[in-house]
Amino acid sequence: GMFYGRFTRPKANIRFSNVALIAPYREGTALMFRLVPYKDHHHLTDVEIRVVLGLTLEEHGKPVFKFYPLPLERTRIDSLSMNWTIVHPIDEHSPISGFSEKDIEAAEVEVMVTLRAFDHLYSSTVQQSTSYTGSEIRFGGKFVMMFRESTDGQTTILELDKLDRYDSVGLPSHQMIAG
C-alpha cells in the first residue's frame, strides 16, 4: 500500500519559469517569476504560494545562512487557469534591497517557492515546490506575454513555449536594486 501511495500521489502539474527576474516594477523594482498549469483536465482552485529567501550574511565575522519570508503582491488566487506572475516588490524592507547582481551571487541567494492548491480531478490538495539560485536570477528582464486571442476572437490561447521568454529592459546589470 505504501509503495502504491508513493507513486500515485496527486501532483499539481505546474511548470515554473527557469529563471526569476529583477525587473522594473511600478516606481521601483521587483523580483518576479512565473508559473503555469500544463494539464488540461486539472482545475486548480484556492491556489496559495509562499516564497522564502535564503541568503548568507556575515555576523560576528562568520557566515550565517538566514531565511526571510518574502511579502508578495498576491499570495492567493481563486483559480489558476492561465499563467501567474509572482511579484515580490523590492522596497526598503526587502532583504535584497540595495543588492547588486554580484551581491546576489556572493550572498548565495536562493528563492524557495511552495505552491499549494485544490485539484478538482483528484478532489485533493496538491503541492509543488521549486527554487531559484543566484545564477538563475536575471537582472533587467521583463517576461513576454504568454497568451493571445484566437483569430476568430472567441478564445484565449496560452502559449506554454513562452514561459521562460523575456526581453531585456532598462535595468543595467551593474545597477543596485532600488529599495
Side-chain angles (χ1 to χ4, degrees), residues 112-155:
M112 294 160 273
V113 180
T114 303
L115 178 130
R116 184 172 295 165
F118 184 79
D119 188 322
H120 290 265
L121 179 67
Y122 296 120
S123 288
S124 180
T125 299
V126 292
Q127 183 172 309
Q128 194 163 331
S129 300
T130 194
S131 72
Y132 298 94
T133 60
S135 64
E136 296 166 317
I137 299 172
R138 306 285 188 266
F139 275 60
K142 180 179 179 178
F143 286 114
V144 300
M145 296 289 283
M146 282 187 67
F147 53 89
R148 62 179 169 81
E149 190 174 297
S150 64
T151 53
D152 64 5
Q154 299 298 308
T155 58

Side-chain angles (χ1 to χ4, degrees), residues 14-26:
I14 298 291
R15 287 192 184 150
F16 293 89
S17 57
N18 289 330
V19 296
L21 303 176
I22 302 288
Y25 178 74
R26 296 189 180 166

Side-chain angles (χ1 to χ4, degrees), residues 26-85:
R26 296 189 180 166
E27 301 300 318
T29 55
L31 171 71
M32 302 178 192
F33 60 91
R34 67 181 174 188
L35 55 96
V36 65
Y38 65 91
K39 295 269 184 161
D40 285 338
H41 306 298
H42 292 258
H43 182 70
L44 299 177
T45 59
D46 298 323
V47 184
E48 292 184 69
I49 193 152
R50 289 188 357 207
V51 179
V52 175
L53 180 99
L55 74 155
T56 303
L57 298 174
E58 190 172 309
E59 287 186 358
H60 308 293
K62 295 182 182 181
V64 178
F65 201 73
K66 294 207 166 204
F67 297 93
Y68 300 90
L70 291 183
L72 303 174
E73 177 184 61
R74 180 172 290 115
T75 59
R76 184 185 175 287
I77 57 173
D78 292 330
S79 180
L80 181 60
S81 57
M82 298 289 280
N83 65 305
W84 184 15
T85 301

